[in-house]
Amino acid sequence: MSLIDTVIPAGEPWIGTIRRGQILRIVDLEGNQAVDTLFYNALDTAEHYSAQNTIQAQRGIYLTTGTVLMTNRGRPLLEIGEDTCGRHDTLGGACSAESNTVRYALEKRHMHNCRDSFLLALTRHDDETGPRLTKRDLPSNINFFMNVPVTPAGGLRFADGISAAGRYVELRALMDVLVLISNCPQLNNPCNAFNPTPVRVITRESA
Ligand SMILES: [Zn+2]
């Protein structure tokens, strides 16, 4: 499997596969960009990242160095290594036409959103060797670099970002992994500082 080094333009999706042992680095090129991400077992996509199992395994809701991302079958999927941002969200989910309508205004329905971006990437992917992934295959996602603080009373807030230009997070694949990213196009809340920007995705072999 060849190594990857690509820039995902602002608001665009991306899909790719990394082999077990490879390290994936996601770089927030210009800062304060939310990167909605899902991971699947590349050999059996019915197995995928599980927010619940990951939170339960590490007894915490934020992701950073040392976090092992768990699958819906309770198996380790990837481990977070170097992380120069320091916190990533497990709870905020992906924006959608529906959430834009409910949270902001009816006129926001047509706007680009992560759920549609995920589906667009899956349609383009069209892996003839495996089952086609559809809406039903989109579980709760990770929001890399996104700041969603939880209040003592249990409330959620989409807050201004804590990332900055050039910050990155690295993940080591513990199995062959299909990576699905929506570089969030959201313009209605501060998850992108109201200004979506490109991110870079790089893989390398672990030393
Ligand atoms: Zn989004």
Side-chain angles (χ1 to χ4, degrees):
M1 208 164 290
S2 56
L3 295 175
I4 294 160
D5 185 352
T6 191
V7 170
I8 310 175
E12 291 292 315
W14 180 83
I15 192 164
T17 306
I18 57 175
R19 196 193 293 133
R20 177 178 177 167
Q22 289 184 331
I23 292 172
L24 168 72
R25 177 187 289 206
I26 306 171
V27 187
D28 186 2
L29 290 173
E30 298 184 28
N32 280 10
Q33 176 60 35
V35 183
D36 292 48
T37 305
L38 283 167
F39 297 109
Y40 301 82
N41 175 349
L43 303 176
D44 177 4
T45 51
E47 182 171 26
H48 51 73
Y49 165 72
S50 162
Q52 292 92 333
N53 287 347
T54 300
I55 290 166
Q56 195 175 46
Q58 71 164 6
R59 295 168 185 262
I61 57 171
Y62 302 123
L63 309 180
T64 188
T65 303
T67 295
V68 176
L69 303 181
M70 305 298 288
T71 73
N72 54 325
R73 294 179 187 156
R75 300 199 305 148
L77 180 60
L78 302 107
E79 180 172 8
I80 300 183
E82 215 177 335
D83 176 15
T84 63
C85 174
R87 185 203 281 183
H88 309 276
D89 167 65
T90 55
L91 300 178
C95 60
S96 65
E98 292 76 10
S99 67
N100 280 341
T101 304
V102 171
R103 286 183 190 140
Y104 310 112
L106 197 55
E107 306 82 74
K108 308 291 188 187
R109 186 172 178 85
H110 68 281
M111 294 180 76
H112 291 191
N113 63 76
C114 286
R115 190 174 171 78
D116 288 348
S117 287
F118 282 149
L119 293 172
L120 180 62
L122 290 177
T123 302
R124 286 177 182 159
H125 179 57
D126 197 15
D127 178 3
E128 289 174 5
T129 63
R132 179 147 212 171
L133 292 168
T134 70
K135 274 184 192 178
R136 292 176 192 275
D137 302 300
L138 295 180
S140 296
N141 59 285
I142 296 168
N143 293 305
F144 285 110
F145 308 111
M146 186 166 158
N147 185 20
V148 184
V150 176
T151 69
L156 279 186
R157 202 159 58 83
F158 294 162
D160 196 10
I162 51 173
S163 184
R167 298 211 179 170
Y168 62 85
V169 57
E170 291 192 338
L171 301 105
R172 187 164 58 91
L174 304 175
M175 60 176 76
D176 291 354
V177 176
L178 178 69
V179 183
L180 175 61
I181 289 177
S182 166
N183 190 17
C184 183
Q186 184 56 253
L187 293 169
N188 299 294
N189 77 47
C191 73
N192 295 329
F194 301 100
N195 175 34
T197 50
V199 297
R200 186 174 171 195
V201 175
I202 306 162
T203 58
R204 67 171 190 274
E205 302 293 346
S206 53

